[in-house]
Amino acid sequence: MNSIEPDERIPRGWARRPRERMLITPLVAGVGGLLAFFTVVAIVVWLPIHTFDPPASSDWAPLAKVAVKGRNLFAQNGCYVCHSGYSRPQDVRHALYFLYPKISQPGDFFGSDQSPNLLGTERTGPDLSQEAGWHPDDWQRAHFYDPRFVDPMSLMPAMKSLFSDRQVEELISFVQMRSGKSGLLRYAGQLYAKHVAITNQGFQPPPVGFKGVHAKIQEGADRKVPAGQLEEAPNLSQIDRSYWLAGDPLPVTEGNLLRGKQVFLERCVGCHGPKGNGKGPAASFMAPPPADFTSADDACCGGDTGPGDFYYRILRGWPGTAMENFGERLSVDDIWRVVLFVKTIPNHTLRRDVIPEPKDYIVWQPSKELLAWVASRQKLPSNADFVKKPVTDPFMQEAMRIFPGLAPGDRFFLNGTTEPLSLDDAAKAIRTIYEDLLNRAWADAKARGEKLPPEEQKLIPPEVPGQQ
Ligand code: HEC
Ligand code: HEC
């Protein structure tokens, strides 16, 4: 058969069809696809990076030199993979310490926090944007060495073989100084409270870096109690006064004690030790070291060991010591239950397979001296809660957070010293430490040639966000 040219097959009188050609060739599709992709990338990534330059927020603070070194370690070791560095509105009620955390603002990430960007990818661990000042440095050291030392249920990897003593200190500086001015205020409060705790109880400063792992657990020196003052007065100044004589609302039953033991084994043994004697694996990192619960004498008759005192310590933590704030992690009843259980420890209830029984519970009784002190301190008109004018000075707010047991007129001395302690003294000291931290960070940022906001930004006072 002769081959027929296609044109010849068109019936006579019919118009010729234009030749068909594929317009979207693989090349056009490829180039177009790439163009579409990079347009989106340019608009969503490149453009904002190069044009979005919000002014520093009022809470922003630069990083000190040592904190910048810590930030580099944080980036190099992938800490941001598990820890984000910004809190979002949806984190309300899920935050580590705040019911209503400070929501991050674009201006919080001005300058030195920007590059490399450490906003983080996942939230396997808690958001660390507000970590500053929640724990003292000695807690951070023990936690970095092995997180299970302080939190037996932690899944964070141990860092004991990763960092030198110097690097641990740098990393700690970063987490303690990364949260802007409100974080520096909290850290200043923590540093002052540490000074108060170790001075008053006669301890040396805690060992630096990972040196704590080879150190001996410290023992406090006997301090001279100032005349006319209760020995436990400085300790009580860190417990709200309404708790000093409070009883445990739960009955002493086997069930409550057993649940208390479970909580203790899950949360407390890293520091207070599997025997409850204060010699857990974290203890040698700490000053003051964790409390020893094995003395029946302390359980029945201590000036600051009543059920209400213990409850308050566990609920809110003990600023200046490694004692944590469990208020967001344990239920109210579980805290009261662990308080019940702690008072059975002198009767060996922490032994394996021992079920604590009501007969093991040691009843606490306030001493005559304590009752006299309470009578002289619990004067309702001077109760801070009843003052109508709200406190607005952030340094005073921080002092009141750390010393909730001090009324505005209270004034006494730390044991073994002539150093006075009142809310005014504390607020003044916290302010000095805060200003020193902030000034040093600004000076370091200037020396690095960092872009800085106008000098007035520095003078805007810090705020105490969230839980007050
Ligand atoms: C595998 C995920 C993971 C990695 C990697 C990780 N962490 Fe954690 N981190 C956690 C978890 C989970 C917690 C909560 C439990 C705890 O306190 O240990 C935590 C807790 C913390 C806390 C204490 C928060 C608080 O106040 O209770 C700090 C500080 C911290 N991590 C810093 C770091 C640093 C710095 C690095 C890198 C050297 C790092 N983390 C690497 C998972 C991780
Ligand atoms: C990270 C370490 C750490 C963890 C975890 C910890 N504590 Fe503490 N605890 C301390 C330190 C340090 C002190 C302060 C001791 C001092 O200043 O004399 C303390 C003090 C206390 C006190 C006050 C004792 C007193 O005599 O006034 C109580 C009560 C207490 N802890 C109970 C608990 C309970 C219950 C848990 C677990 C739910 C727990 N602690 C978890 C470190 C810890």
Side-chain angles (χ1 to χ4, degrees), residues 413-454:
F413 297 98
L414 297 184
N415 290 336
T417 72
T418 50
E419 195 175 323
L421 183 62
S422 69
L423 281 177
D424 284 329
D425 296 318
K428 221 182 288 164
I430 291 169
R431 180 179 198 134
T432 308
I433 301 172
Y434 165 84
E435 286 175 352
D436 179 53
L437 289 168
L438 189 62
N439 287 335
R440 266 194 289 163
W442 270 73
D444 285 356
K446 242 182 221 154
R448 286 200 300 276
E450 199 77 58
K451 179 179 77 167
L452 287 168

Side-chain angles (χ1 to χ4, degrees), residues 60-64 110 112 177 184 438 441-443 445 448 450 452 457:
W60 175 87
L63 289 177
F110 180 88
S112 57
M177 297 185 200
L184 289 182
L438 189 62
W442 270 73
R448 286 200 300 276
E450 199 77 58
L452 287 168
Q457 194 275 355

Side-chain angles (χ1 to χ4, degrees), residues 70 73-83 96-97 123-128 130-132 134-135 139-140 143-144 146-159 162-163 171-172 174-176 178 324 329:
L73 291 169
F74 195 90
Q76 284 159 7
N77 290 281
C79 310
Y80 61 87
V81 175
C82 286
H83 293 290
L96 192 56
Y97 293 110
R123 288 169 186 247
T124 311
D127 180 82
L128 293 183
Q130 294 304 311
E131 172 70 3
W134 277 117
H135 302 285
W139 183 96
Q140 295 285 359
H143 180 257
F144 280 139
D146 187 336
R148 261 69 54 201
F149 279 14
V150 298
D151 180 353
M153 296 193 294
S154 173
L155 58 71
M156 175 163 145
M159 304 289 164
L162 220 52
F163 299 119
L171 211 51
I172 292 173
F174 174 60
V175 294
Q176 299 283 34
R178 71 177 298 188
E324 297 189 30
R329 286 175 286 170

Side-chain angles (χ1 to χ4, degrees), residues 195-203 221-227 229-232 234 412-420:
H195 163 77
V196 166
I198 62 176
T199 307
N200 182 53
Q201 300 185 35
F203 290 102
D222 274 339
R223 318 286 346 238
K224 194 163 169 285
V225 181
Q229 192 174 298
L230 184 76
E231 184 182 353
E232 291 85 4
F412 54 91
F413 297 98
L414 297 184
N415 290 336
T417 72
T418 50
E419 195 175 323

Side-chain angles (χ1 to χ4, degrees), residues 139 150 201 267-268 271-272 288-290 293 310 314 318 322-323 326:
W139 183 96
V150 298
Q201 300 185 35
R267 306 269 187 178
C268 322
C271 292
H272 292 286
F293 296 125
F310 277 12
I314 303 165
W318 185 341
M323 179 60 201
F326 286 96

